[in-house]
Amino acid sequence: MSTSLQQLRELVRDHDIRAVVSDLDGVLRIFDGSLWSELDGITGTPAGTAYQAVLGHPFLDEVVRGRGTHRRWREHAASALVAAGSSPQAADAAIAAWLASPARIDQGVLTQLESLRAAGLGVFVLTNGTDRVPEELEELGMTPFLGPDRRFLLNTADLGAAKPDQEAYARAHARIEQELGTSLRPDQVAFLDDSSRHVGEAVRFGWRAVLHHAPSAPA
């Protein structure tokens, strides 16, 4: 068990925690870090170009707040690659490769979250997500974990506010209370995220939070 997961369990043990919230990417869902260099190779652009064109594109801020679609984001990313020196064909190929890139669920994290749910806690996933997140998680076999009508998925594209905005935590907290059918103090929620900024803002909102460090993958 990673140190951060142990810290999460200690929070639950030592405090009156009623709900646990996990980030998705970098915590529960893991991508191959070599993807971006592969995309740079496809487009023939300098190192870091593909990452900046996709995850660094400012339109992503709109998408994760429900003000834009994944499809439009892809179009913006392809245009950014072309502007950086890629041919249109190579840019399209890189975007297709990104979409097809495999992800996996961290079974250690999933096991711990399922254990906490079995112990009677509400367990949720809060992600700065897009309109494609439900489809992506279904492909990974996560639909049962998300519950009927994906009631345990807190997707910021649906909430209309994204981490680290305080409004995102407020809306997520309200949804948690709605789903659990009870009022909760902020300090009754434990949060796990791999972004120090997101963790810091969650603490400012009043949640108890742990910064996640995934263990190194075996060679």
Side-chain angles (χ1 to χ4, degrees):
M1 183 188 304
S2 71
T3 301
S4 49
L5 289 176
Q6 182 61 43
Q7 291 173 335
L8 180 65
R9 294 198 70 89
E10 289 171 358
L11 275 183
V12 171
R13 181 194 67 199
D14 297 339
H15 301 279
D16 183 25
I17 301 297
R18 303 295 180 86
V20 172
V21 180
S22 173
D23 181 31
L24 179 60
D25 292 334
V27 179
L28 188 55
R29 179 170 65 172
I30 307 297
F31 290 94
D32 185 351
S34 67
L35 168 68
W36 302 108
S37 61
E38 293 174 8
L39 300 187
D40 288 332
I42 292 172
T43 57
T45 52
T49 300
Y51 182 92
Q52 186 61 34
V54 178
L55 294 187
H57 200 288
F59 188 70
L60 178 56
D61 286 342
E62 299 296 304
V63 179
V64 298
R65 288 169 172 81
R67 300 194 292 258
T69 66
H70 196 286
R71 177 183 292 277
R72 188 71 182 122
W73 175 31
R74 300 196 302 269
E75 293 170 351
H76 279 297
S79 295
L81 289 171
V82 172
S86 171
S87 70
Q89 295 80 5
D92 289 343
I95 296 300
W98 165 54
L99 280 178
S101 60
R104 65 178 178 85
I105 296 300
D106 187 318
Q107 292 299 320
V109 173
L110 180 60
T111 296
Q112 291 302 316
L113 295 178
E114 289 177 329
S115 173
L116 292 169
R117 181 176 286 168
L121 299 179
V123 174
F124 297 81
V125 174
L126 172 60
T127 179
N128 277 6
T130 76
D131 52 310
R132 285 194 78 243
V133 162
E135 175 185 343
E136 293 166 354
L137 292 181
E138 183 176 2
E139 291 172 355
L140 287 169
M142 290 294 291
T143 300
F145 179 75
L146 300 176
D149 298 321
R150 297 186 293 273
R151 62 184 295 236
F152 301 119
L153 174 62
L154 307 173
N155 185 356
T156 63
D158 299 324
L159 295 176
K163 299 176 290 184
D165 302 347
Q166 286 291 296
E167 186 63 23
Y169 302 102
R171 294 184 186 186
H173 191 89
R175 270 282 311 280
I176 291 168
E177 291 182 318
Q178 177 184 345
E179 294 300 337
L180 298 184
T182 187
S183 297
L184 296 178
R185 301 188 314 270
D187 66 355
Q188 290 179 305
V189 177
F191 179 55
L192 183 69
D193 198 293
D194 66 330
S195 163
S196 58
R197 188 180 180 198
H198 294 175
V199 164
E201 289 302 306
V203 170
R204 190 160 77 87
F205 176 72
W207 285 358
R208 300 184 186 273
V210 172
L211 180 63
H212 181 64
H213 297 285
S216 299

